[in-house]
Amino acid sequence: MTAKPPVVIVCVGMAGSGKTTFMQRINSHLHSKREPPYVINLDPAVRNVPFESNIDIRDSLNYKEVMREYNLGPNGGIVTSLNIFATKIDQIINILEKRTAPNPETPKAKPIKNIIVDTPGQIEVFMWSASGSILLESLASSFPTVVAYIIDTPRTSSTSTFMSNMLYACSILYKTKLPMILVFNKTDVKDADFAKEWMTDFEAFQAALKQEEDGGSFGGVDGGGGFGGGSGYMGSLLNSMSLMLEEFYRHLSVVGVSSMTGKGIDDFFTAVGEKADEFERDYKPELEKRRKERQEEKASKREKDLGKMMKDMNVSESRNASGGPNKAGVAQRHHVDTLSDLEDNSNSESEAQMVEPDEDEVDEDGAEDEAYMDDGLTKRYKQAIAPTTQAASSGGDSSEQSFAKYLRTTQVG
């Protein structure tokens, strides 16, 4: 039975949400179960991390040197470092595939089941940059990939900050097109039950919103001149957004964890397993579809380039004004074969093949030559510009191989 591929867990979150501490907790949790993960650090600006990374962007790039060399600020330095690192993504994927593949020399060794990825604290630098998209798409093309969005629970207790986090999570979900888990962190400080209730019970969110409006959380004054009530704009906006996000909540897994105590970590990995199955069932076919569309687009572009080249060389307009075959083109055909035969065969054979045909023979074969000019050259050009030419093994005749060789020699193709 084929072993399941490892699951990639990409941890993203706002600055101060406890993302790095969460990474440390899940890393130690997996080690305690004797299932050590493969750890990747993509934050070039972090000084110290409380876990050991197998692949660390800091080993390849010096963040401060990048800032100095390109005259950049902090965020620009992070983006540029990620862009440079993303140019080696093929090597990273090769390393991951080798490290996570079963080793025949040690068949009893446990395979790697999880790859955890730490990202920069400036979430927008990673999620909305080209390098972030390249890294995520490359990982998702090789392994089941899940995005873990870390949320600071104590700072999300108000309806406005809660809704801001939900909108950001929504944008990440539709930007990455990957399964997502909402991780309400720091539950040792404040329990996440209120957030789960707001996501499942619209009336509970409305009641909390009304309470904040009456308490003057949104500013404004009430009818008696005292504070409270607000302008109504903020409450109306949050109400509308909560209705809009009701469908969005159904596609998320929500867990509450404490990175300090380890509470809820088992629930998190249960959600990871469910999302990995969802990736294989729902997301992978979509990725395959997009990959196939890109391949078809490349093939179509090659066909257009071929047509443009044939048009520029006037191959399809090789007839004379009377509609007969272009004898210059016929002579060119024999000239091409003669050149390649001179390269491949002996002198005696070359002299025999260099004899020009009689005009009667040319006239009798006019229709064949005309078809040759329209179809034969097009076919030969396709063979000449194909990414891999295997004329010798494809069963084609020697003239087709000779023509492709002539094109390469004269640099026509």
Side-chain angles (χ1 to χ4, degrees):
M1 184 178 179
T2 305
K4 286 186 176 181
V7 181
V8 178
I9 305 171
V10 182
C11 297
V12 299
M14 300 287 188
S17 62
K19 179 169 53 62
T20 301
T21 311
F22 176 76
M23 281 280 299
Q24 179 193 21
R25 173 57 63 181
I26 62 176
N27 183 36
S28 61
H29 176 81
L30 291 172
H31 274 90
S32 67
K33 291 182 171 294
R34 296 186 178 181
E35 296 178 351
Y38 203 84
V39 184
I40 302 175
N41 174 44
L42 295 180
D43 190 350
V46 65
R47 291 188 176 181
N48 299 298
V49 289
F51 51 84
E52 185 178 353
S53 302
N54 299 98
I55 297 177
D56 197 326
I57 189 174
R58 298 175 300 168
D59 296 336
S60 305
L61 295 163
N62 188 317
Y63 166 69
K64 291 185 178 179
E65 288 297 325
V66 171
M67 288 176 60
R68 186 179 298 110
E69 181 178 353
Y70 295 98
N71 193 24
L72 298 170
N75 288 343
I78 295 175
V79 171
T80 304
S81 298
L82 284 170
N83 289 342
I84 297 172
F85 191 72
T87 60
K88 304 296 182 183
I89 185 61
D90 55 335
Q91 299 178 20
I92 298 170
I93 297 298
N94 288 336
I95 292 173
L96 292 175
E97 290 176 344
K98 289 179 181 179
R99 296 293 186 272
T100 57
N103 190 349
E105 297 180 358
T106 56
K108 293 184 179 180
K110 288 187 176 180
I112 294 175
K113 295 183 178 180
N114 296 281
I115 301 171
I116 56 178
V117 183
D118 193 15
T119 58
Q122 292 83 348
I123 184 173
E124 68 281 355
V125 168
F126 179 77
M127 294 309 306
W128 303 102
S129 64
S131 55
S133 299
I134 292 170
L135 291 166
L136 282 176
E137 290 179 4
S138 300
L139 289 170
S141 66
S142 302
F143 307 98
T145 304
V146 178
V147 176
Y149 181 53
I150 318 300
I151 299 173
D152 188 345
T153 307
R155 297 179 65 180
T156 317
S157 56
S158 69
T159 55
S160 56
T161 54
F162 170 80
M163 189 56 62
S164 298
N165 269 292
M166 294 301 102
L167 288 174
Y168 214 106
C170 180
S171 66
I172 292 173
L173 177 67
Y174 291 107
K175 174 69 167 59
T176 61
K177 296 181 176 65
L178 294 172
M180 176 183 287
I181 303 173
L182 291 186
V183 182
F184 284 91
N185 196 14
K186 306 181 183 181
T187 54
D188 54 310
V189 179
K190 184 175 180 60
D191 197 275
D193 287 342
F194 75 94
K196 296 178 182 178
E197 184 182 15
W198 287 354
M199 295 178 68
T200 55
D201 188 349
F202 174 71
E203 293 181 356
F205 181 80
Q206 279 188 320
L209 180 60
K210 184 69 167 60
Q211 183 178 358
E212 290 185 9
E213 282 184 313
D214 294 341
S217 299
F218 304 138
V221 293
D222 59 18
F227 287 98
S231 64
Y233 169 76
M234 193 67 175
S236 176
L237 177 64
L238 294 177
N239 248 329
S240 301
M241 288 191 294
S242 64
L243 283 171
M244 178 193 70
L245 293 178
E246 187 175 4
E247 180 67 24
F248 163 71
Y249 295 148
R250 299 179 184 177
H251 299 281
L252 300 177
S253 293
V254 183
V255 294
V257 304
S258 171
S259 298
M260 293 298 295
T261 64
K263 180 183 177 182
I265 297 298
D266 287 325
D267 295 336
F268 170 74
F269 279 103
T270 300
V272 168
E274 294 174 355
K275 288 300 177 181
D277 294 337
E278 182 181 332
F279 176 90
E280 295 287 348
R281 183 182 66 251
D282 300 331
Y283 288 83
K284 190 174 181 179
E286 180 64 23
L287 290 173
E288 295 292 338
K289 179 182 177 182
R290 282 188 283 168
R291 188 181 299 112
K292 184 178 179 181
E293 288 175 353
R294 286 196 296 267
Q295 292 174 349
E296 291 176 351
E297 184 178 351
K298 289 180 180 179
S300 176
K301 186 176 183 301
R302 281 199 298 267
E303 289 292 331
K304 290 180 179 179
D305 291 342
L306 174 64
K308 183 178 179 181
M309 182 185 69
M310 299 294 289
K311 182 179 179 181
D312 292 343
M313 297 183 68
N314 294 322
V315 173
S316 62
E317 298 177 2
S318 59
R319 298 179 180 84
N320 57 19
S322 61
N326 189 331
K327 296 186 178 181
V330 176
Q332 184 180 3
R333 186 190 82 181
H334 288 283
H335 178 63
V336 168
D337 290 339
T338 300
L339 284 177
S340 40
D341 288 335
L342 280 170
E343 295 173 357
D344 298 335
N345 301 328
S346 64
N347 292 335
S348 59
E349 293 175 346
S350 301
E351 292 174 358
Q353 293 179 0
M354 286 177 64
V355 177
E356 293 291 337
D358 295 335
E359 292 185 2
D360 294 338
E361 294 177 355
V362 173
D363 292 337
E364 291 175 358
D365 297 337
E368 180 182 354
D369 291 331
E370 183 177 351
Y372 171 86
M373 292 305 301
D374 288 340
D375 300 329
L377 281 179
T378 302
K379 181 180 179 182
R380 296 185 185 197
Y381 271 110
K382 286 184 178 180
Q383 292 178 350
I385 68 171
T388 55
T389 305
Q390 298 179 347
S393 60
S394 62
D397 57 19
S398 60
S399 62
E400 290 179 350
Q401 301 170 31
S402 300
F403 189 80
K405 183 177 179 181
Y406 173 72
L407 285 177
R408 292 193 297 270
T409 304
T410 56
Q411 298 182 353
V412 173

